[in-house]
Amino acid sequence: MTQAPRITLIGGGLVGALLARQLAQHGFAVEVFEKRPDPRRAGFLGGRSINLALAERGLQALRTAGLADEVLLRAVMMRGRMVHAQGGASGLQRYGVDDSEVIWSVSRGALNMLLLDAAEASGVRFHFGQSLVAADFDRHRIRLADEAGVTREHDAGLLIGADGAGSVLRAAMDAYAPLGERIEPLGHGYKELEIPDAGTLPPALVQQAGGAGHFALEPHALHIWPRGGYMCIALPNAEGSFTVTLFLPATGAHPSFATLPDAAAARAFFAADFPDLLPLIPRFDADYAEHPVGTLSTLYLERWHLDGRALLVGDAAHAIVPFHGQGMNCGFEDTVTLAGLLSASPDDSAGVFAEFQRIRQPNANAIAAMALENYVEMRDSVADPHYLAKRALGAKLAERIPGHYMARYRLVTFTHLSYAYALERGHRQDALLEALLRGAPDVEAIDLDAAARLFQSTLEPLPELRHG
């Protein structure tokens, strides 16, 4: 084999660091340029959500890099959604059938630093505080600037952009040859707040909230306060705190971020709509005033690459809204696919980049659609009687005919079947569930043997399920 081409990565975040590790393990010489300072020395500079949901697809990518066990040591298991109704009652809706089907809450900063260490240990060279300012795709050279504005040129070799939704490399590629970019804003924003470690709160309040140990709420759940067109969620952090995220329309009639201009207005809103949550956030006023409103959009590109010269991966190619907890998992899947393709054909980057897009783009489009649908489910449907009936019927069928029925959420979250397959199969299964419930809205009145026969005669068996 000829010597593997040198690879330059723009972006040393989660996807960039993991991809660098994967490529180095396949024998490539990899350099990474990251605009932020090294978080291991400067402290992690956020700007995006503080914790993330790690599911089977992301775990599988970490396994291939030899890192899954180390990551799970720092993660908090979440068995399902703890749904908090307006009146204060709460109940757990499990994600899977048992504790073999759970997701994990991980700290973005801690995971990023672990991945940087792992990539460096594999021989990757990182350059921090280096922002991409220009790319000459004809000469395979890039220009970078440090924090002081001092510029340098770099011979890039193969150029891969893992620099996130606001990718500078994408903008440079698009200026050189339009990529067919389309950005669809959701029209809703988010703001992060924090529930501290239970030790800082009154014991009676923690007991009332269902806390345990260091945690002010049940630790092994993703908490949701659904309120129709908006919601709050809370994810546990390993040290005992929870990151709370408020999702609201950005503009329009109350409630929207436009109608909550300051902490006082927001506090009154929480007292009315989230009265059980507000007392658990002692720094509410400061959190609300200090944390910016984040924007939510979906990014679509017709083209992810410039022939064999430059390629976009992760959020730089296909940023999605966060409501399926799959953005990181999807980006991590990208790294496994790309590293495998490049390893098999290191001298054909144009063919590899085209094949990578052919494989991954339909799946990125599918999870983008499912993430948007999941927002409606989380903020509204989890409290809807028809949704709960459909969920109950699905659970019965999953037990009775596991080879023909698996809830779409489980297909996405706990298997390696493609996102595109999960979307298509989910639509077909849902149509059958709806038909059954039209005939008998009460789940207990449905003839399960007849329902099972309907699924078995209408749908092909599920492919072999690859759990981790």
Side-chain angles (χ1 to χ4, degrees):
M1 171 184 138
T2 56
Q3 186 178 1
R6 289 185 311 101
I7 295 175
T8 297
L9 272 172
I10 306 298
L14 298 174
V15 170
L18 180 58
L19 178 58
R21 161 83 169 191
Q22 306 262 24
L23 291 169
Q25 287 179 310
H26 283 290
F28 292 94
V30 184
E31 290 194 68
V32 181
F33 294 88
E34 166 57 51
K35 69 180 179 183
R36 294 168 300 181
D38 186 341
R40 296 164 297 181
R41 296 185 177 85
F44 185 74
L45 302 175
R48 292 291 309 282
S49 57
I50 293 163
N51 50 10
L52 300 154
L54 177 65
E56 174 55 31
R57 293 165 198 274
L59 268 174
Q60 180 61 15
L62 291 168
R63 286 186 201 107
T64 67
L67 300 172
D69 291 344
E70 198 178 342
V71 170
L72 288 179
L73 288 174
R74 307 165 188 219
V76 182
M77 177 178 73
M78 297 187 292
R79 292 188 172 98
R81 300 166 174 162
M82 186 70 77
V83 179
H84 298 259
Q86 183 95 43
S90 62
L92 183 71
Q93 296 179 4
R94 263 195 179 272
Y95 288 131
V97 290
D98 54 35
D99 277 0
S100 71
E101 293 185 341
V102 297
I103 61 175
W104 302 86
S105 178
V106 294
S107 157
R108 177 187 287 273
L111 179 57
N112 201 168
M113 290 186 270
L114 183 154
L115 293 173
L116 293 173
D117 285 341
E120 278 189 343
S122 298
V124 175
R125 291 180 58 199
F126 284 91
H127 306 270
F128 294 96
Q130 297 284 320
S131 297
L132 179 69
V133 291
D136 185 334
F137 297 107
D138 296 318
R139 294 171 57 230
H140 297 271
R141 291 183 72 78
I142 57 173
R143 194 160 79 250
L144 303 136
D146 66 15
E147 290 101 326
V150 178
T151 63
R152 62 187 276 202
E153 285 213 345
H154 174 73
D155 186 4
L158 293 186
L159 191 54
I160 300 174
D163 51 340
S167 170
V168 176
L169 182 60
R170 184 178 74 242
M173 290 166 65
D174 189 56
Y176 180 85
L179 302 176
E181 177 181 290
R182 189 172 93 255
I183 296 173
E184 291 191 358
L186 181 65
H188 289 226
Y190 69 93
K191 188 180 282 267
E192 293 191 331
L193 312 163
E194 185 178 60
I195 297 172
D197 178 305
T200 66
L201 296 168
L205 181 60
V206 173
Q207 185 178 3
Q208 182 185 350
H214 295 299
F215 296 89
L217 295 166
E218 160 59 46
H220 297 300
L222 185 156
H223 294 260
I224 307 182
W225 290 259
R227 298 296 183 260
Y230 53 98
M231 67 177 182
C232 273
I233 66 170
L235 272 73
N237 296 306
E239 80 284 356
S241 65
F242 284 81
T243 302
V244 178
T245 310
L246 167 66
F247 294 97
L248 270 183
T251 59
H254 182 78
S256 69
F257 281 112
T259 66
L260 303 176
D262 53 37
R267 174 176 283 278
F269 166 58
F270 266 69
D273 279 63
F274 306 106
D276 55 331
L277 178 55
L278 181 59
L280 298 174
I281 310 175
R283 292 189 74 253
F284 181 90
D285 289 18
D287 280 357
Y288 197 87
E290 292 166 12
H291 298 169
V293 175
T295 58
L296 299 165
S297 299
T298 304
L299 167 70
Y300 302 94
L301 297 177
E302 291 174 20
R303 286 169 295 284
W304 292 4
H305 64 103
L306 291 179
D307 45 65
R309 289 175 282 179
L311 171 73
L312 300 167
V313 299
D315 282 356
H318 49 72
I320 61 175
V321 295
F323 304 111
H324 216 305
Q326 285 290 314
M328 172 181 69
N329 294 281
C330 182
F332 280 9
E333 263 195 341
D334 281 356
T335 71
V336 179
T337 302
L338 180 58
L341 289 170
L342 270 173
S343 176
S345 304
D347 303 319
D348 182 19
S349 59
V352 164
F353 291 176
E355 179 66 1
F356 174 77
Q357 179 176 335
R358 186 193 69 77
I359 293 169
R360 295 299 296 160
Q361 191 173 43
N363 293 303
N365 289 340
I367 191 56
M370 291 188 284
L372 288 164
E373 289 175 13
N374 224 43
Y375 186 29
V376 177
E377 181 173 309
M378 289 175 75
R379 74 189 195 207
D380 199 352
S381 303
V382 289
D384 173 63
H386 179 71
Y387 166 84
L388 295 173
K390 196 157 58 172
R391 182 183 160 86
L393 177 56
K396 289 177 183 289
L397 289 169
E399 200 174 323
R400 187 167 292 230
I401 46 167
H404 276 82
Y405 178 82
M406 188 180 213
R408 188 178 85 179
Y409 185 92
R410 290 175 62 213
L411 289 171
V412 168
T413 309
F414 304 124
T415 81
H416 308 150
L417 297 172
S418 76
Y419 288 126
Y421 176 83
L423 177 63
E424 185 269 340
R425 179 77 180 205
H427 282 154
R428 292 170 68 197
Q429 291 182 160
D430 197 61
L432 294 180
L433 291 176
E434 290 285 359
L436 288 166
L437 286 167
R438 267 198 304 276
D442 179 7
V443 174
E444 299 305 320
I446 290 174
D447 181 339
L448 288 179
D449 290 328
R453 286 194 298 273
L454 174 66
F455 271 77
Q456 290 168 323
S457 63
T458 309
L459 300 177
E460 67 281 1
L462 290 162
E464 184 181 347
L465 301 172
R466 291 167 49 216
H467 285 66

